[in-house]
Amino acid sequence: MHIHILGICGTFMGGLALIARSAGHTVTGCDAGVYPPMSTQLEEQGIALIEGFGAEQTELCPDLYIVGNVVTRGNPLMEAILDQGLPYTSGPQWLGENILHQQHVLAVAGTHGKTSTSSMLAWILEQADLSPNFLIGGVAPGLGVSARFNPGQSLFVIEADEYDTAFFDKRSKFVHYRPRTAVLNNLEYDHADIFPDLHAIQTQFHHLVRTIPSTGLIVRPTHTPSLDETLAHGCWTPVEQFGPEGDWDSKALSPTSFEVSFKGQPQGIVHWTLTGEHNRLNALAAIAAAHHVGVQPERACQALSQFAGIKRRMEVRGVVKDITVYDDFAHHPTAIATTLAGLRSQTGQSSRILAVLEPRSNTMKLGAMAARLPGSLEEADLVFCYGETQGKHALGWDAAKVLAPLGDRATAWNDLDKMVQAIVQASQPGDAIVVMSNGSFGGIHQRLLDQLSR
Protein backbone atom coordinates (compact mmCIF):
# COMPACT_ATOMS: atom_id res chain seq x y z
CA MET A 1 0.00 0.00 0.00
CA HIS A 2 1.17 3.54 -0.81
CA ILE A 3 0.56 5.94 2.09
CA HIS A 4 0.98 9.72 1.81
CA ILE A 5 1.34 11.53 5.14
CA LEU A 6 0.29 15.16 5.59
CA GLY A 7 2.41 16.84 8.28
CA ILE A 8 5.13 14.20 8.20
CA CYS A 9 7.84 16.18 10.00
CA GLY A 10 6.05 16.28 13.35
CA THR A 11 7.46 13.92 15.97
CA PHE A 12 4.42 11.65 16.01
CA MET A 13 3.78 11.61 12.26
CA GLY A 14 7.46 11.14 11.44
CA GLY A 15 7.61 8.20 13.82
CA LEU A 16 4.45 6.79 12.27
CA ALA A 17 6.08 7.06 8.83
CA LEU A 18 9.02 4.93 10.01
CA ILE A 19 6.62 2.36 11.47
CA ALA A 20 4.54 2.21 8.25
CA ARG A 21 7.72 1.70 6.23
CA SER A 22 8.84 -1.10 8.57
CA ALA A 23 5.41 -2.69 8.12
CA GLY A 24 6.10 -2.95 4.39
CA HIS A 25 4.24 0.07 3.02
CA THR A 26 5.47 2.62 0.49
CA VAL A 27 5.53 5.95 2.33
CA THR A 28 5.73 9.52 1.05
CA GLY A 29 4.87 12.71 2.87
CA CYS A 30 4.69 16.48 2.91
CA ASP A 31 4.98 19.33 5.37
CA ALA A 32 5.36 23.08 5.49
CA GLY A 33 9.03 23.59 6.20
CA VAL A 34 10.62 20.17 5.71
CA TYR A 35 13.38 20.42 8.28
CA PRO A 36 15.97 18.33 10.17
CA PRO A 37 16.30 16.24 12.21
CA MET A 38 13.09 14.47 11.18
CA SER A 39 13.56 15.22 7.47
CA THR A 40 17.06 13.73 7.59
CA GLN A 41 15.88 10.68 9.52
CA LEU A 42 13.06 10.08 7.02
CA GLU A 43 15.18 10.59 3.91
CA GLU A 44 17.75 8.13 5.26
CA GLN A 45 14.92 5.60 5.35
CA GLY A 46 14.10 6.26 1.69
CA ILE A 47 10.93 8.26 2.39
CA ALA A 48 10.33 10.96 -0.22
CA LEU A 49 9.39 14.35 1.22
CA ILE A 50 7.55 17.18 -0.52
CA GLU A 51 7.70 20.79 0.62
CA GLY A 52 4.26 22.32 1.23
CA PHE A 53 0.67 21.10 0.86
CA GLY A 54 0.04 21.63 -2.83
CA ALA A 55 -3.17 20.18 -4.28
CA GLU A 56 -1.16 18.61 -7.12
CA GLN A 57 0.07 15.95 -4.69
CA THR A 58 -3.14 14.03 -5.40
CA GLU A 59 -1.40 13.08 -8.67
CA LEU A 60 0.78 10.72 -6.59
CA CYS A 61 -2.36 8.56 -6.39
CA PRO A 62 -1.63 6.96 -3.01
CA ASP A 63 -3.98 4.32 -1.64
CA LEU A 64 -4.51 6.33 1.56
CA TYR A 65 -3.79 9.79 2.97
CA ILE A 66 -2.89 9.98 6.67
CA VAL A 67 -3.70 13.44 8.04
CA GLY A 68 -1.77 14.99 10.92
CA ASN A 69 -3.49 17.28 13.41
CA VAL A 70 -1.44 20.20 12.11
CA VAL A 71 -3.73 20.11 9.03
CA THR A 72 -6.89 22.24 9.07
CA ARG A 73 -9.74 22.99 6.67
CA GLY A 74 -8.51 25.35 4.00
CA ASN A 75 -5.27 23.39 3.54
CA PRO A 76 -5.01 23.10 -0.29
CA LEU A 77 -4.15 19.39 -0.33
CA MET A 78 -6.83 18.54 2.23
CA GLU A 79 -9.43 20.46 0.23
CA ALA A 80 -8.45 18.51 -2.90
CA ILE A 81 -8.72 15.22 -0.99
CA LEU A 82 -12.21 16.13 0.19
CA ASP A 83 -13.34 17.45 -3.19
CA GLN A 84 -12.20 14.30 -4.98
CA GLY A 85 -13.59 11.93 -2.35
CA LEU A 86 -10.18 10.33 -1.73
CA PRO A 87 -9.58 7.96 1.21
CA TYR A 88 -8.07 9.53 4.34
CA THR A 89 -7.71 8.81 8.04
CA SER A 90 -5.85 10.14 11.07
CA GLY A 91 -2.45 8.93 12.27
CA PRO A 92 -3.69 7.53 15.59
CA GLN A 93 -6.60 5.69 13.94
CA TRP A 94 -4.37 4.15 11.27
CA LEU A 95 -1.84 3.12 13.91
CA GLY A 96 -4.50 1.57 16.13
CA GLU A 97 -6.23 -0.36 13.35
CA ASN A 98 -3.17 -1.52 11.41
CA ILE A 99 -0.37 -1.95 13.93
CA LEU A 100 -1.41 -1.82 17.58
CA HIS A 101 -4.34 -4.26 17.40
CA GLN A 102 -1.82 -7.10 17.08
CA GLN A 103 0.42 -5.88 19.92
CA HIS A 104 0.47 -5.83 23.71
CA VAL A 105 0.32 -2.04 23.99
CA LEU A 106 1.98 -0.33 26.96
CA ALA A 107 0.64 3.24 26.84
CA VAL A 108 2.06 6.08 28.93
CA ALA A 109 -0.40 8.94 29.45
CA GLY A 110 -0.41 11.96 31.75
CA THR A 111 0.04 15.72 31.72
CA HIS A 112 3.73 15.45 32.56
CA GLY A 113 6.47 12.87 32.12
CA LYS A 114 5.05 10.96 29.14
CA THR A 115 8.22 11.09 27.05
CA SER A 116 10.55 10.41 29.97
CA THR A 117 8.49 7.51 31.35
CA SER A 118 7.87 5.86 27.97
CA SER A 119 11.60 6.15 27.18
CA MET A 120 12.48 4.56 30.52
CA LEU A 121 9.97 1.77 29.90
CA ALA A 122 11.23 1.04 26.39
CA TRP A 123 14.81 1.07 27.70
CA ILE A 124 13.97 -1.41 30.48
CA LEU A 125 12.32 -3.78 28.00
CA GLU A 126 15.25 -3.41 25.62
CA GLN A 127 17.75 -4.25 28.35
CA ALA A 128 15.59 -7.24 29.33
CA ASP A 129 16.07 -8.59 25.76
CA LEU A 130 12.39 -8.11 24.88
CA SER A 131 13.17 -5.86 21.85
CA PRO A 132 10.04 -3.69 22.16
CA ASN A 133 8.43 -1.74 19.38
CA PHE A 134 7.87 1.89 20.34
CA LEU A 135 6.68 5.35 19.31
CA ILE A 136 7.92 8.07 21.64
CA GLY A 137 7.93 11.87 21.42
CA GLY A 138 11.66 12.13 22.07
CA VAL A 139 14.91 10.33 21.50
CA ALA A 140 16.68 8.43 24.28
CA PRO A 141 20.38 8.14 23.35
CA GLY A 142 20.41 4.42 24.13
CA LEU A 143 17.47 3.73 21.81
CA GLY A 144 18.81 5.93 19.01
CA VAL A 145 15.45 6.66 17.34
CA SER A 146 11.99 7.82 18.39
CA ALA A 147 10.12 4.96 16.69
CA ARG A 148 10.75 1.32 15.83
CA PHE A 149 8.61 -1.53 14.57
CA ASN A 150 9.38 -5.19 13.99
CA PRO A 151 6.24 -7.21 13.16
CA GLY A 152 7.83 -10.23 14.84
CA GLN A 153 7.82 -8.55 18.26
CA SER A 154 4.67 -8.33 20.40
CA LEU A 155 5.30 -5.46 22.85
CA PHE A 156 4.65 -1.87 21.83
CA VAL A 157 5.45 1.12 24.07
CA ILE A 158 3.66 4.31 23.04
CA GLU A 159 3.55 7.83 24.39
CA ALA A 160 -0.20 8.32 24.76
CA ASP A 161 -1.05 11.96 24.14
CA GLU A 162 -4.36 13.51 25.24
CA TYR A 163 -4.24 16.12 22.46
CA ASP A 164 -6.96 15.79 19.84
CA THR A 165 -6.58 13.39 16.92
CA ALA A 166 -7.33 15.48 13.82
CA PHE A 167 -9.56 18.31 12.62
CA PHE A 168 -12.25 15.70 11.88
CA ASP A 169 -11.78 13.65 15.08
CA LYS A 170 -11.70 15.63 18.32
CA ARG A 171 -11.16 12.62 20.56
CA SER A 172 -7.79 12.36 22.29
CA LYS A 173 -5.17 10.44 20.33
CA PHE A 174 -4.83 7.79 23.04
CA VAL A 175 -8.42 6.61 22.62
CA HIS A 176 -7.25 4.79 19.48
CA TYR A 177 -4.48 2.80 21.16
CA ARG A 178 -6.37 0.15 23.18
CA PRO A 179 -3.60 -0.55 25.75
CA ARG A 180 -3.33 -3.63 27.96
CA THR A 181 -0.88 -1.86 30.27
CA ALA A 182 -1.65 1.81 30.90
CA VAL A 183 0.34 4.33 32.91
CA LEU A 184 -1.80 7.31 33.96
CA ASN A 185 1.11 9.34 35.23
CA ASN A 186 -0.75 12.44 36.47
CA LEU A 187 -3.59 14.68 35.37
CA GLU A 188 -3.68 18.47 35.38
CA TYR A 189 -5.29 21.16 33.28
CA ASP A 190 -3.38 21.78 30.05
CA HIS A 191 -3.99 22.39 26.32
CA ALA A 192 -6.16 25.44 26.91
CA ASP A 193 -6.54 25.79 23.14
CA ILE A 194 -8.74 22.67 22.92
CA PHE A 195 -9.95 21.86 26.45
CA PRO A 196 -12.20 24.34 28.31
CA ASP A 197 -11.44 22.90 31.75
CA LEU A 198 -9.98 19.96 33.68
CA HIS A 199 -13.27 18.06 33.55
CA ALA A 200 -13.05 17.90 29.75
CA ILE A 201 -9.61 16.26 29.99
CA GLN A 202 -10.85 13.86 32.68
CA THR A 203 -13.63 12.78 30.31
CA GLN A 204 -11.06 11.86 27.66
CA PHE A 205 -8.96 9.98 30.24
CA HIS A 206 -12.03 8.00 31.24
CA HIS A 207 -12.66 7.14 27.59
CA LEU A 208 -9.15 5.62 27.68
CA VAL A 209 -9.90 3.75 30.91
CA ARG A 210 -12.99 2.20 29.29
CA THR A 211 -10.81 0.58 26.62
CA ILE A 212 -8.41 -1.24 29.00
CA PRO A 213 -9.32 -4.94 29.48
CA SER A 214 -10.00 -6.51 32.87
CA THR A 215 -6.89 -8.66 32.35
CA GLY A 216 -4.77 -5.52 31.87
CA LEU A 217 -3.23 -3.14 34.40
CA ILE A 218 -3.52 0.55 35.25
CA VAL A 219 -0.46 2.12 36.89
CA ARG A 220 -1.11 5.47 38.59
CA PRO A 221 0.41 7.77 41.23
CA THR A 222 -0.89 8.03 44.78
CA HIS A 223 -2.50 11.18 46.15
CA THR A 224 -3.83 12.48 42.82
CA PRO A 225 -7.43 13.68 43.34
CA SER A 226 -8.00 14.35 39.62
CA LEU A 227 -7.29 10.67 38.86
CA ASP A 228 -9.41 9.55 41.83
CA GLU A 229 -12.33 11.47 40.33
CA THR A 230 -11.67 10.03 36.87
CA LEU A 231 -11.56 6.41 38.01
CA ALA A 232 -14.61 6.93 40.25
CA HIS A 233 -16.69 7.10 37.06
CA GLY A 234 -15.86 3.43 36.52
CA CYS A 235 -12.81 1.20 36.46
CA TRP A 236 -12.82 -2.42 35.32
CA THR A 237 -9.08 -3.07 35.45
CA PRO A 238 -6.67 -3.87 38.32
CA VAL A 239 -4.81 -0.79 39.57
CA GLU A 240 -1.31 -0.51 41.06
CA GLN A 241 -0.26 2.77 42.65
CA PHE A 242 3.21 4.25 42.85
CA GLY A 243 4.64 6.93 45.08
CA PRO A 244 4.28 7.60 48.82
CA GLU A 245 2.08 4.94 50.48
CA GLY A 246 1.66 3.16 47.13
CA ASP A 247 2.31 -0.41 46.02
CA TRP A 248 5.54 0.84 44.44
CA ASP A 249 7.61 3.29 46.46
CA SER A 250 11.13 4.68 46.58
CA LYS A 251 13.56 5.96 49.16
CA ALA A 252 16.18 8.49 48.12
CA LEU A 253 19.70 7.38 49.06
CA SER A 254 21.40 10.39 47.44
CA PRO A 255 20.44 13.02 44.85
CA THR A 256 21.17 10.43 42.12
CA SER A 257 20.27 7.09 43.71
CA PHE A 258 17.20 5.50 45.30
CA GLU A 259 15.89 2.17 46.54
CA VAL A 260 12.73 0.70 45.00
CA SER A 261 10.21 -1.29 47.05
CA PHE A 262 7.06 -3.22 46.13
CA LYS A 263 4.42 -3.77 48.81
CA GLY A 264 7.03 -2.84 51.41
CA GLN A 265 9.72 -5.26 50.18
CA PRO A 266 13.03 -3.92 48.76
CA GLN A 267 13.46 -4.76 45.08
CA GLY A 268 16.63 -3.03 43.94
CA ILE A 269 18.60 0.22 43.79
CA VAL A 270 18.87 2.68 40.90
CA HIS A 271 22.10 4.66 40.48
CA TRP A 272 21.79 7.15 37.62
CA THR A 273 22.54 10.71 36.49
CA LEU A 274 18.98 12.02 36.66
CA THR A 275 17.75 14.12 39.58
CA GLY A 276 14.48 15.09 41.22
CA GLU A 277 11.46 13.38 42.73
CA HIS A 278 9.58 13.59 39.43
CA ASN A 279 12.17 11.36 37.76
CA ARG A 280 11.99 8.85 40.63
CA LEU A 281 8.21 8.71 40.19
CA ASN A 282 8.58 8.28 36.43
CA ALA A 283 11.00 5.43 37.10
CA LEU A 284 8.55 3.72 39.49
CA ALA A 285 5.82 3.92 36.83
CA ALA A 286 8.13 2.39 34.22
CA ILE A 287 9.27 -0.39 36.59
CA ALA A 288 5.65 -1.23 37.46
CA ALA A 289 4.60 -1.35 33.79
CA ALA A 290 7.60 -3.52 32.87
CA HIS A 291 6.77 -5.87 35.76
CA HIS A 292 3.33 -6.41 34.21
CA VAL A 293 5.00 -7.96 31.14
CA GLY A 294 7.39 -10.11 33.13
CA VAL A 295 10.46 -7.98 33.89
CA GLN A 296 11.69 -8.48 37.44
CA PRO A 297 12.08 -5.19 39.36
CA GLU A 298 15.72 -5.87 40.18
CA ARG A 299 16.53 -6.18 36.48
CA ALA A 300 14.53 -3.02 35.76
CA CYS A 301 16.58 -1.15 38.39
CA GLN A 302 19.78 -2.39 36.76
CA ALA A 303 18.53 -1.18 33.38
CA LEU A 304 17.65 2.29 34.70
CA SER A 305 21.11 2.55 36.23
CA GLN A 306 22.34 2.57 32.61
CA PHE A 307 19.67 5.04 31.40
CA ALA A 308 21.24 8.21 30.03
CA GLY A 309 18.10 10.35 29.91
CA ILE A 310 16.52 11.82 26.78
CA LYS A 311 17.18 14.83 24.66
CA ARG A 312 15.69 18.14 25.86
CA ARG A 313 15.05 16.85 29.38
CA MET A 314 17.72 18.64 31.46
CA GLU A 315 20.15 17.89 28.65
CA VAL A 316 23.56 19.48 29.19
CA ARG A 317 24.29 21.49 26.05
CA GLY A 318 27.68 22.68 27.17
CA VAL A 319 29.92 23.96 29.97
CA VAL A 320 31.93 27.16 29.56
CA LYS A 321 34.01 28.77 32.32
CA ASP A 322 32.28 26.52 34.89
CA ILE A 323 28.85 27.75 33.70
CA THR A 324 26.55 24.88 32.64
CA VAL A 325 23.85 25.44 30.01
CA TYR A 326 20.91 23.01 30.17
CA ASP A 327 18.08 22.47 27.68
CA ASP A 328 14.71 21.44 29.11
CA PHE A 329 11.30 20.96 27.51
CA ALA A 330 9.37 22.33 30.53
CA HIS A 331 6.24 24.04 29.17
CA HIS A 332 3.82 24.02 32.13
CA PRO A 333 4.21 25.57 35.62
CA THR A 334 4.28 22.15 37.29
CA ALA A 335 7.01 20.94 34.93
CA ILE A 336 8.99 24.14 35.48
CA ALA A 337 8.77 23.79 39.26
CA THR A 338 9.80 20.11 39.29
CA THR A 339 12.70 20.75 36.90
CA LEU A 340 14.09 23.54 39.06
CA ALA A 341 13.48 21.62 42.30
CA GLY A 342 15.35 18.62 40.88
CA LEU A 343 18.32 20.79 39.93
CA ARG A 344 18.31 22.52 43.31
CA SER A 345 18.40 19.14 45.08
CA GLN A 346 21.53 18.35 43.08
CA THR A 347 23.35 21.67 43.48
CA GLY A 348 22.12 22.74 46.92
CA GLN A 349 22.51 26.44 47.65
CA SER A 350 26.12 26.51 46.45
CA SER A 351 25.22 27.33 42.84
CA ARG A 352 22.92 29.92 41.33
CA ILE A 353 20.14 28.86 38.96
CA LEU A 354 19.36 31.18 36.05
CA ALA A 355 16.00 30.22 34.53
CA VAL A 356 15.52 31.28 30.90
CA LEU A 357 11.90 30.78 29.90
CA GLU A 358 10.00 30.99 26.62
CA PRO A 359 6.25 30.42 27.24
CA ARG A 360 5.63 28.92 23.82
CA SER A 361 3.01 26.18 24.22
CA ASN A 362 -0.56 27.10 23.28
CA THR A 363 -1.62 26.90 26.94
CA MET A 364 1.19 29.21 28.04
CA LYS A 365 0.70 31.70 25.18
CA LEU A 366 -2.99 32.03 26.00
CA GLY A 367 -2.14 32.88 29.60
CA ALA A 368 -4.19 30.09 31.19
CA MET A 369 -1.27 29.26 33.50
CA ALA A 370 0.28 32.72 33.82
CA ALA A 371 -0.79 33.27 37.43
CA ARG A 372 1.09 30.12 38.48
CA LEU A 373 4.38 31.11 36.87
CA PRO A 374 5.93 33.15 39.72
CA GLY A 375 5.43 30.28 42.18
CA SER A 376 6.88 27.75 39.75
CA LEU A 377 10.07 29.82 39.42
CA GLU A 378 10.76 30.26 43.14
CA GLU A 379 13.87 28.04 43.08
CA ALA A 380 15.54 30.27 40.46
CA ASP A 381 17.94 33.00 41.52
CA LEU A 382 17.38 34.94 38.31
CA VAL A 383 14.59 34.64 35.73
CA PHE A 384 14.73 35.80 32.11
CA CYS A 385 11.40 35.51 30.27
CA TYR A 386 11.19 35.96 26.49
CA GLY A 387 7.98 36.62 24.60
CA GLU A 388 7.37 37.65 21.02
CA THR A 389 5.04 40.62 20.51
CA GLN A 390 3.54 39.61 17.15
CA GLY A 391 2.99 36.56 14.99
CA LYS A 392 1.71 33.12 15.93
CA HIS A 393 4.06 32.83 18.92
CA ALA A 394 3.12 36.18 20.48
CA LEU A 395 2.18 36.16 24.15
CA GLY A 396 -1.37 37.11 25.03
CA TRP A 397 -0.30 38.56 28.40
CA ASP A 398 2.25 40.93 29.93
CA ALA A 399 5.21 38.89 31.20
CA ALA A 400 6.63 41.80 33.24
CA LYS A 401 3.37 42.19 35.17
CA VAL A 402 2.93 38.46 35.72
CA LEU A 403 6.48 38.03 37.04
CA ALA A 404 6.37 41.17 39.21
CA PRO A 405 5.97 39.11 42.45
CA LEU A 406 9.55 37.89 41.89
CA GLY A 407 10.84 41.45 42.13
CA ASP A 408 14.29 42.25 40.71
CA ARG A 409 15.01 38.56 40.20
CA ALA A 410 12.85 38.48 37.06
CA THR A 411 13.05 40.44 33.81
CA ALA A 412 10.91 40.23 30.65
CA TRP A 413 12.29 40.59 27.14
CA ASN A 414 11.05 40.74 23.54
CA ASP A 415 14.49 41.18 21.95
CA LEU A 416 16.34 37.86 21.95
CA ASP A 417 19.78 39.34 21.20
CA LYS A 418 19.56 41.78 24.10
CA MET A 419 18.32 39.05 26.45
CA VAL A 420 21.26 36.79 25.52
CA GLN A 421 23.66 39.66 26.28
CA ALA A 422 21.96 40.25 29.66
CA ILE A 423 22.19 36.58 30.60
CA VAL A 424 25.88 36.44 29.70
CA GLN A 425 26.61 39.62 31.68
CA ALA A 426 24.75 38.24 34.72
CA SER A 427 26.45 34.84 34.62
CA GLN A 428 29.32 33.85 36.87
CA PRO A 429 31.35 30.66 37.44
CA GLY A 430 29.33 27.90 39.09
CA ASP A 431 26.01 29.02 37.62
CA ALA A 432 23.47 26.69 36.01
CA ILE A 433 21.56 28.26 33.11
CA VAL A 434 18.34 26.31 32.46
CA VAL A 435 16.69 27.11 29.12
CA MET A 436 13.02 26.05 29.17
CA SER A 437 10.90 25.96 26.02
CA ASN A 438 9.03 23.45 23.88
CA GLY A 439 10.35 25.20 20.74
CA SER A 440 13.76 25.90 19.25
CA PHE A 441 13.98 29.26 21.12
CA GLY A 442 16.01 30.85 18.31
CA GLY A 443 19.00 28.59 18.94
CA ILE A 444 19.61 30.38 22.24
CA HIS A 445 21.57 27.49 23.77
CA GLN A 446 24.44 27.74 21.28
CA ARG A 447 24.28 31.53 21.26
CA LEU A 448 24.79 31.55 25.02
CA LEU A 449 27.68 29.08 24.81
CA ASP A 450 29.35 31.07 22.03
CA GLN A 451 29.09 34.39 23.86
CA LEU A 452 30.18 32.88 27.16
CA SER A 453 33.26 31.50 25.39
CA ARG A 454 34.22 35.00 24.26
Side-chain angles (χ1 to χ4, degrees):
M1 177 182 284
H2 176 192
I3 293 169
H4 190 60
I5 300 177
L6 284 67
I8 195 170
C9 284
T11 303
F12 174 84
M13 298 301 279
L16 183 134
L18 296 177
I19 288 169
R21 180 100 181 337
S22 297
H25 300 290
T26 298
V27 181
T28 55
C30 63
D31 211 328
V34 174
Y35 48 87
M38 187 56 74
S39 61
T40 305
Q41 185 175 333
L42 292 170
E43 287 170 348
E44 287 173 350
Q45 297 296 315
I47 296 173
L49 305 181
I50 299 172
E51 173 71 37
F53 295 95
E56 71 280 357
Q57 292 177 45
T58 57
E59 296 172 10
L60 294 171
C61 298
D63 299 290
L64 181 68
Y65 295 90
I66 298 183
V67 182
N69 68 0
V70 69
V71 176
T72 61
R73 285 302 305 265
N75 177 291
L77 179 53
M78 192 67 233
E79 293 302 313
I81 291 168
L82 293 171
D83 288 342
Q84 298 175 39
L86 301 175
Y88 67 91
T89 188
S90 70
Q93 183 169 349
W94 182 87
L95 187 68
E97 293 177 351
N98 293 274
I99 302 294
L100 299 183
H101 74 289
Q102 298 175 333
Q103 301 275 297
H104 179 125
V105 177
L106 300 97
V108 180
T111 308
H112 313 293
K114 290 187 292 292
T115 302
S116 295
T117 306
S118 51
S119 297
M120 290 178 194
L121 176 54
W123 176 253
I124 291 169
L125 300 181
E126 180 80 355
Q127 294 302 296
D129 299 323
L130 294 174
S131 301
N133 299 315
F134 54 83
L135 177 51
I136 300 169
V139 178
L143 297 172
V145 292
S146 63
R148 184 174 74 190
F149 179 64
N150 178 347
Q153 301 298 329
S154 61
L155 299 178
F156 199 113
V157 177
I158 188 164
E159 179 174 333
D161 189 3
E162 70 272 25
Y163 208 79
D164 62 6
T165 297
F167 76 86
F168 51 87
D169 183 354
K170 306 318 277 184
R171 293 173 294 173
S172 290
K173 292 178 182 176
F174 57 40
V175 173
H176 295 280
Y177 299 159
R178 308 290 175 88
R180 299 193 71 82
T181 308
V183 176
L184 310 183
N185 207 355
N186 41 63
L187 180 50
E188 284 192 71
Y189 182 55
D190 197 5
H191 305 306
D193 52 324
I194 61 171
F195 292 118
D197 50 35
L198 177 61
H199 177 72
I201 304 178
Q202 289 175 303
T203 298
Q204 293 295 324
F205 268 74
H206 197 253
H207 290 335
L208 174 64
V209 168
R210 292 175 186 176
T211 68
I212 306 167
S214 59
T215 53
L217 178 69
I218 292 173
V219 178
R220 56 149 296 185
T222 59
H223 308 303
T224 310
S226 56
L227 282 175
D228 294 339
E229 294 167 1
T230 303
L231 295 177
H233 290 290
C235 182
W236 303 266
T237 308
V239 177
E240 289 181 1
Q241 300 194 44
F242 63 92
E245 302 172 22
D247 303 293
W248 298 89
D249 203 353
S250 66
K251 180 174 69 174
L253 303 178
S254 77
T256 56
S257 65
F258 58 93
E259 183 179 58
V260 174
S261 62
F262 179 57
K263 297 187 183 297
Q265 299 300 311
Q267 302 294 319
I269 296 176
V270 176
H271 301 274
W272 61 359
T273 59
L274 280 65
T275 59
E277 182 184 11
H278 62 298
N279 277 317
R280 290 202 306 274
L281 292 173
N282 292 340
L284 288 177
I287 291 168
H291 186 245
H292 187 230
V293 292
V295 180
Q296 293 303 308
E298 182 178 8
R299 189 164 190 183
C301 290
Q302 292 169 354
L304 288 180
S305 294
Q306 305 298 318
F307 183 71
I310 58 175
K311 290 184 178 297
R312 305 214 65 194
R313 302 310 189 274
M314 286 304 287
E315 178 187 3
V316 175
R317 293 292 296 268
V319 182
V320 177
K321 299 176 182 174
D322 197 30
I323 299 169
T324 305
V325 176
Y326 294 90
D327 181 20
D328 195 76
F329 195 74
H331 62 283
H332 184 286
T334 298
I336 292 168
T338 54
T339 290
L340 297 179
L343 181 59
R344 180 62 75 195
S345 71
Q346 181 182 12
T347 64
Q349 299 301 321
S350 60
S351 298
R352 297 192 312 165
I353 296 175
L354 280 61
V356 182
L357 174 67
E358 181 189 34
R360 190 183 176 98
S361 70
N362 288 327
T363 298
M364 294 288 271
K365 284 187 298 184
L366 290 169
M369 300 290 177
R372 292 177 54 188
L373 267 182
S376 72
L377 292 159
E378 275 297 330
E379 289 288 357
D381 296 279
L382 293 174
V383 175
F384 300 83
C385 183
Y386 174 73
E388 296 183 17
T389 56
Q390 55 188 348
K392 67 177 183 178
H393 297 307
L395 288 185
W397 44 278
D398 187 328
K401 283 185 178 179
V402 166
L403 297 176
L406 295 175
D408 295 339
R409 285 192 292 154
T411 51
W413 303 80
N414 54 39
D415 185 313
L416 191 58
D417 291 331
K418 290 181 179 178
M419 188 178 78
V420 169
Q421 292 173 10
I423 297 168
V424 170
Q425 290 171 2
S427 301
Q428 58 191 42
D431 283 352
I433 300 175
V434 185
V435 178
M436 294 179 285
S437 171
N438 67 340
S440 62
F441 207 160
I444 189 173
H445 317 82
Q446 194 58 49
R447 292 167 73 169
L448 285 169
L449 291 168
D450 290 345
Q451 291 205 29
L452 287 168
S453 296
R454 300 192 193 107

